[in-house]
Amino acid sequence: MSLIQKHGKNIAGRDFIVGDLHGQYDLLIEAMARVDFDKIKDRLFCVGDLIDRGADSMKCLSLPFEPWFFGVRGNHEMLALEALERGGNAESLWMINGGTWASKENRTEVRQILFEALAYLPYARQVEVMGQQVGIVHAEPPTDWSMIEDAGPAEKEQIVWGRSRIKRMDKAPVTGIDAVVVGHTIIEQPTWLGNVFYIDTGAFQTGRLTLINAQEVLA
């Protein structure tokens, strides 16, 4: 599977981007209702972390199979993958970080659905919006967007786990892309650093799930 999936302009409807879900399925449905989301015409892009910490993680893990949903993989999907493949310390790490929901589900089914879902969760997506290009990764983009195409293990780790940019409050723009939307790091309200927009408002803690029209990123 390609590390990045590119999407042309939505000529039929609107595009929306939503923050980390973490099993908050009901909050997602409420947010979609508020914008009158049309599953036939509209598209919903997600910055990853569909699972863990929330009771409806299994429902959220099934979202990648919906024709209107387009996610990227987050660190929690990768934690789950490691745990289900290796067990041991990886299993303990997953449980500590919100994976306990899986113990209430059929383990074989969780494993199968996760593996199948990951085929629909690339490391990055790129969407044409109003003639410009919006990138989506879970945690942190490289300094040059084109580097994703050939990302190695270190770059992949940065994409799903990185926080160095926000720790430094680095406002240097990511080149090769007009804007990038990310999650991973919980912030009080959606925040810009250069052309990178952070939208994880910690839905599992705060009850606030950020869902924005993609055009707002370019406004």
Side-chain angles (χ1 to χ4, degrees):
M1 183 178 76
S2 175
L3 298 186
I4 181 167
Q5 188 166 342
K6 298 181 180 180
H7 304 265
K9 178 183 177 183
N10 186 348
I11 56 174
R14 303 165 296 166
D15 288 332
F16 294 91
I17 308 172
V18 68
D20 301 34
L21 297 180
H22 281 303
Q24 305 300 313
Y25 185 82
D26 290 347
L27 287 181
L28 174 63
I29 298 306
E30 290 168 15
M32 291 167 65
R34 282 197 296 272
V35 297
D36 294 322
F37 188 89
D38 184 335
K39 292 180 179 179
I40 304 299
K41 297 178 181 178
D42 298 334
R43 299 186 295 196
L44 179 63
F45 294 88
C46 178
V47 299
D49 277 3
L50 312 185
I51 60 170
D52 295 350
R53 299 187 173 134
D56 285 332
S57 287
M58 198 68 156
K59 282 185 182 178
C60 290
L61 188 56
S62 297
L63 287 168
F65 307 115
E66 297 289 349
W68 45 267
F69 184 91
F70 302 90
V72 296
R73 59 184 63 192
N75 62 303
H76 281 263
E77 282 77 48
M78 303 312 284
L79 276 173
L81 178 64
E82 286 277 303
L84 291 165
E85 283 188 333
R86 293 171 45 205
N89 291 339
E91 172 84 14
S92 301
L93 187 62
W94 184 32
M95 292 300 121
I96 291 167
N97 285 281
T100 52
W101 63 273
S103 59
K104 301 182 181 73
E105 305 285 350
N106 180 305
R107 188 70 166 210
T108 305
E109 189 180 0
V110 172
R111 180 188 172 97
Q112 182 179 347
I113 292 177
L114 175 66
F115 285 7
E116 290 176 5
L118 283 169
Y120 296 90
L121 297 172
Y123 279 86
R125 291 187 184 271
Q126 182 175 326
V127 192
E128 182 183 343
V129 181
M130 297 194 301
Q132 297 186 70
Q133 298 296 319
V134 175
I136 300 164
V137 296
H138 177 59
E140 186 166 88
T143 53
D144 183 336
W145 185 253
S146 67
M147 293 166 67
I148 292 174
E149 301 272 9
D150 302 308
E155 291 80 17
K156 288 177 181 176
E157 178 131 340
Q158 176 193 359
I159 287 168
V160 297
W161 284 97
R163 284 199 173 101
S164 60
R165 182 184 183 90
I166 197 164
K167 283 179 179 175
R168 296 195 309 268
M169 299 303 286
D170 184 355
K171 295 182 179 179
V174 175
T175 57
I177 196 82
D178 293 297
V180 184
V181 183
V182 302
H184 187 53
T185 301
I186 297 174
I187 32 85
E188 194 166 326
Q189 58 187 19
T191 300
W192 283 99
L193 279 178
N195 62 347
V196 180
F197 196 37
Y198 291 78
I199 65 166
D200 179 15
T201 42
F204 72 94
Q205 286 180 332
T206 64
R208 290 186 295 112
L209 178 65
T210 295
L211 186 148
I212 57 170
N213 189 309
Q215 292 187 0
E216 293 178 43
V217 180
L218 298 168

